[in-house]
Amino acid sequence: MDSLTDDLWALVLAKLPIRIFTCFKVVCKQWKSVMESPFFRKHFVSMHENSSSSSSWLLMSTDGRDAIMDYYHQCDIWGLKRPLSSFIKSALNDKNPNQKYLDVKVVAYSDLGLILIYAISKIKEKSSLYVANPVSHECVEIFLDPLLEKSQLCIPQWGIATRVDENDILLSFKVVVVNRGLSGAMLNCLIYSSETGMWSLDNTPFSKYFFTESSISLNGNLHWFAINKDSQDFLISMDLYTNSTSSDRWRVSHFPDLEKTIKFDRSCCRTPCHGFLMYINIVSTTKVDGSLEEKLCVWRLQSEGWQLISQISPGSILTGDFINYAPLTINPFDAKTAYFWSEKQESMLYINLHTGKSLTYNQFELTSNRRTMIPAHDPRAVISLKNTCVGLVPFVLPQWLYRIPNMVAVRRV
């Protein structure tokens, strides 16, 4: 074995799952050097770039406690033998078995596999904030600014954004908390940087907008749904790593169907393997003869605005006056399969966004707690029966292990 060169070791080790890479690094200096090399990372990613069926992703409710839809498939890339949601729930408790928490919840997810945990301990109800990788169990604590103490927070909206270099190494992260008043309007925005270990107050030009959902993290940006005083929907984006001034890092995007009749409440889907934010809805358009036609439309957010990338007939199951289905998400890896859920009928609808073909599944096996069920056709998915279409947050495991960078003024757990 000592005669094997670094490139041969890279070819061998790349066949093993990500979760045990951390252990491999302490075997010997050669293995550590191999696994930290750009060649090893590029080779591993190229081996698994088309392995969407072996990847893990889920939708979480915004309270951070329940997985709505959990695809794990034993996750060959990461080596998971149980659903991803179970790792998220134990990310903090496994590190602090002696710590008693009054409340622990995940408040934000990054596109590189990190989660943001807000915890209140039973000791004097002290608040704590953690950034963690739920699978590797790497976890760091961030000190809280006095403005972020429990008594100072009204209705906070959290977010976490990350920055990588040309070698795809995670350099830093930034935590954002938008503090809203009881009316929903923004009170202030605080940003924590792992590079400085400090919080800073940011001035936003959208203080009178109402933030309605949790943030979506993608490519160093955070995105929120917002409503203005005229009850119009917008997407507000924040570029955390721009070199521009504070006001220039904020951007508002008008939805492309604001003037049209739509079927569903607006929501966006993140496809991190493609690096895009996507929006889907059924839109009524007027034909040449004056009659109305309904199309299932998919847009992709570009720097210049929304780009229509798909427009298909949704079929009779999603048209008409009474629709029992609501969109859940778009497959984050292939970006071509849309998932719809009917709580009334307890059935799942899959639609191919390229061909328009659809499949409906209503055969499920209830789990022991009778709150979740597993589709009989697809044992990879676990679907919750609770709040299935309210406040969903996407979380996708990346195809590489991004280590939390060294930080200033933080305490590793």
Side-chain angles (χ1 to χ4, degrees), residues 113-228:
L114 303 182
I115 60 176
L116 186 65
I117 303 172
Y118 185 75
I120 302 175
S121 66
K122 289 185 177 180
I123 304 175
K124 298 182 180 180
E125 294 192 11
K126 180 181 179 294
S127 301
S128 301
L129 195 63
Y130 301 88
V131 173
N133 183 315
V135 179
S136 68
H137 280 199
E138 188 179 13
C139 184
V140 298
E141 182 179 359
I142 300 173
F143 83 92
L144 286 172
D145 186 277
L147 289 175
L148 294 179
E149 293 298 334
K150 183 182 177 183
S151 60
Q152 299 291 330
L153 286 174
C154 190
I155 307 177
Q157 291 277 16
W158 299 89
I160 178 171
T162 51
R163 181 169 67 95
V164 297
D165 64 9
E166 62 277 4
N167 294 318
D168 213 23
I169 303 299
L170 179 58
L171 298 178
S172 67
F173 65 81
K174 292 189 178 182
V175 173
V176 174
V177 56
V178 175
N179 198 15
R180 297 184 295 133
L182 294 177
S183 64
M186 181 188 293
L187 297 177
N188 53 55
C189 176
L190 286 166
I191 303 174
Y192 173 87
S193 172
S194 64
E195 296 173 307
T196 63
M198 300 295 293
W199 290 91
S200 60
L201 187 64
D202 186 81
N203 296 319
T204 168
F206 303 112
S207 59
K208 295 184 179 180
Y209 282 65
F210 305 101
F211 286 59
T212 61
E213 292 188 9
S214 299
S215 65
I216 299 177
S217 174
L218 188 63
N219 301 331
N221 290 259
L222 294 178
H223 307 273
W224 289 272
F225 277 92
I227 302 174
N228 65 6

Side-chain angles (χ1 to χ4, degrees), residues 35-323:
M35 303 196 77
E36 291 180 348
S37 68
F39 171 78
F40 177 77
R41 184 195 63 78
K42 292 178 181 178
H43 179 66
F44 181 89
V45 172
S46 65
M47 283 181 59
H48 298 279
E49 60 184 354
N50 296 319
S51 302
S52 60
S53 62
S54 299
S55 300
S56 188
W57 59 278
L58 56 80
L59 294 176
M60 291 291 291
S61 58
T62 51
D63 62 7
R65 294 182 176 89
D66 293 315
I68 302 300
M69 188 175 185
D70 194 340
Y71 267 69
Y72 60 97
H73 191 58
Q74 295 190 350
C75 195
D76 296 339
I77 294 177
W78 278 82
L80 306 188
K81 301 301 181 183
R82 64 181 193 268
L84 175 58
S85 55
S86 65
F87 287 90
I88 290 179
K89 291 179 180 179
S90 63
L92 185 59
N93 291 329
D94 287 357
K95 279 290 184 181
N96 294 299
N98 298 323
Q99 178 70 278
K100 303 298 182 182
Y101 292 104
L102 191 65
D103 188 26
V104 177
K105 58 183 177 181
V106 180
V107 292
Y109 304 81
S110 83
D111 54 338
L112 297 184
L114 303 182
I115 60 176
L116 186 65
I117 303 172
Y118 185 75
I120 302 175
S121 66
K122 289 185 177 180
I123 304 175
K124 298 182 180 180
E125 294 192 11
K126 180 181 179 294
S127 301
S128 301
L129 195 63
Y130 301 88
V131 173
N133 183 315
V135 179
S136 68
H137 280 199
E138 188 179 13
C139 184
V140 298
E141 182 179 359
I142 300 173
F143 83 92
L144 286 172
D145 186 277
L147 289 175
L148 294 179
E149 293 298 334
K150 183 182 177 183
S151 60
Q152 299 291 330
L153 286 174
C154 190
I155 307 177
Q157 291 277 16
W158 299 89
I160 178 171
T162 51
R163 181 169 67 95
V164 297
D165 64 9
E166 62 277 4
N167 294 318
D168 213 23
I169 303 299
L170 179 58
L171 298 178
S172 67
F173 65 81
K174 292 189 178 182
V175 173
V176 174
V177 56
V178 175
N179 198 15
R180 297 184 295 133
L182 294 177
S183 64
M186 181 188 293
L187 297 177
N188 53 55
C189 176
L190 286 166
I191 303 174
Y192 173 87
S193 172
S194 64
E195 296 173 307
T196 63
M198 300 295 293
W199 290 91
S200 60
L201 187 64
D202 186 81
N203 296 319
T204 168
F206 303 112
S207 59
K208 295 184 179 180
Y209 282 65
F210 305 101
F211 286 59
T212 61
E213 292 188 9
S214 299
S215 65
I216 299 177
S217 174
L218 188 63
N219 301 331
N221 290 259
L222 294 178
H223 307 273
W224 289 272
F225 277 92
I227 302 174
N228 65 6
K229 62 180 181 179
D230 297 321
S231 298
Q232 291 180 310
D233 295 332
F234 295 89
L235 183 73
I236 291 182
S237 304
M238 184 182 189
D239 186 348
L240 273 299
Y241 289 98
T242 182
N243 294 323
S244 304
T245 60
S246 176
S247 59
D248 291 336
R249 67 165 43 128
W250 294 87
R251 168 190 173 193
V252 59
S253 300
H254 300 258
F255 281 98
D257 53 6
L258 281 181
E259 306 301 324
K260 299 182 181 296
T261 302
I262 58 176
K263 288 286 185 180
F264 307 117
D265 292 337
R266 293 185 174 93
S267 62
C268 284
C269 307
R270 176 165 57 89
T271 56
C273 288
H274 297 264
F276 293 111
L277 198 68
M278 302 179 73
Y279 166 61
I280 182 173
N281 216 319
I282 292 180
V283 177
S284 297
T285 58
T286 304
K287 300 170 65 175
V288 178
D289 60 5
S291 61
L292 292 178
E293 180 182 27
E294 293 185 328
K295 291 288 187 180
L296 179 62
C297 300
V298 183
W299 291 269
R300 183 169 60 196
L301 186 62
Q302 306 277 51
S303 58
E304 64 274 10
W306 293 99
Q307 175 190 13
L308 182 65
I309 60 173
S310 177
Q311 186 173 237
I312 60 176
S313 175
S316 59
I317 195 169
L318 288 179
T319 56
D321 296 330
F322 302 99
I323 298 179

